[in-house]
Amino acid sequence: MASSYLSIWGPVVEQIHHYLRQQYPKEGCGILAGHDQEITHFFPIPNLDDSPHSFSFEPQAYLETIRQLRELQLEWIGVVHSHPTTEPYPSARDIANWHYPEKSYWICSLKQGHCRLSAYYIRHQQVIPVMYQIIVNR
Ligand SMILES: [Zn+2]
């Protein structure tokens, strides 16, 4: 079972915020990776939907990222995407489209101008919030 407590490096949070703001007003997305529930890397992936309301990974970039994870011996821990104008909570579409109960699901809301980042597990259509800590001195 995946841990209910995650860690993420401060600089990774900065990278996520920076990238997702660049994609605004469209949704941006990417993969989070690291070791032992500690996220040390963010890999942006172009949003094939090119939409403010949904995302799907561009397949070539997705495959390239999976290859990189293997090469760097990183675990795929989660995904992140932005909600440009809504709360950081999974939409009905998000829940229906997610099929990885063991991977964490991060959403960054840009609704209030700054990024508000929340993490969840989605299992059997159930949304389970996950606590996380930001490790600043990395
Ligand atoms: Zn969403």
Side-chain angles (χ1 to χ4, degrees), residues 9-20:
W9 286 10
V12 175
V13 173
E14 298 290 312
Q15 284 171 25
I16 292 168
H17 289 180
H18 182 74
Y19 176 75
L20 295 178

Side-chain angles (χ1 to χ4, degrees), residues 47-75:
N47 179 3
L48 191 67
D49 295 355
D50 199 29
S51 158
H53 306 296
S54 72
F55 77 98
S56 49
F57 291 152
E58 191 283 310
Q60 277 307 116
Y62 166 73
L63 290 174
E64 172 61 19
T65 299
I66 297 302
R67 194 191 61 74
Q68 263 184 289
L69 294 189
R70 222 173 283 141
E71 198 171 285
L72 297 167
Q73 296 189 300
L74 293 167
E75 294 165 35

Side-chain angles (χ1 to χ4, degrees), residues 27 53 55 81-83 89-91 94 105 107:
E27 286 196 7
H53 306 296
F55 77 98
H81 75 285
S82 57
H83 278 180
Y89 191 82
S91 66
D94 288 338
Y105 196 88
I107 299 174

Side-chain angles (χ1 to χ4, degrees), residues 8-132:
I8 186 166
W9 286 10
V12 175
V13 173
E14 298 290 312
Q15 284 171 25
I16 292 168
H17 289 180
H18 182 74
Y19 176 75
L20 295 178
R21 271 196 299 261
Q22 283 179 336
Q23 310 311 307
Y24 185 91
K26 292 176 182 159
E27 286 196 7
C29 52
I31 281 179
L32 302 171
H35 295 288
D36 300 327
Q37 306 301 324
E38 184 168 323
I39 294 163
T40 58
H41 288 71
F42 166 57
F43 297 90
I45 297 183
N47 179 3
L48 191 67
D49 295 355
D50 199 29
S51 158
H53 306 296
S54 72
F55 77 98
S56 49
F57 291 152
E58 191 283 310
Q60 277 307 116
Y62 166 73
L63 290 174
E64 172 61 19
T65 299
I66 297 302
R67 194 191 61 74
Q68 263 184 289
L69 294 189
R70 222 173 283 141
E71 198 171 285
L72 297 167
Q73 296 189 300
L74 293 167
E75 294 165 35
W76 179 4
I77 295 177
V79 305
V80 61
H81 75 285
S82 57
H83 278 180
T85 57
T86 58
E87 296 297 327
Y89 191 82
S91 66
R93 187 200 318 247
D94 288 338
I95 295 166
N97 289 345
W98 184 242
H99 305 293
Y100 297 95
E102 299 304 313
K103 295 192 199 318
S104 52
Y105 196 88
W106 298 65
I107 299 174
C108 177
S109 169
L110 299 169
K111 189 184 177 187
Q112 293 176 357
H114 60 279
C115 288
R116 285 178 298 144
L117 189 61
S118 296
Y120 307 91
Y121 288 108
I122 301 174
R123 295 178 177 145
H124 314 294
Q125 315 283 308
Q126 299 258 51
V127 177
I128 305 157
V130 187
M131 298 277 289
Y132 69 88

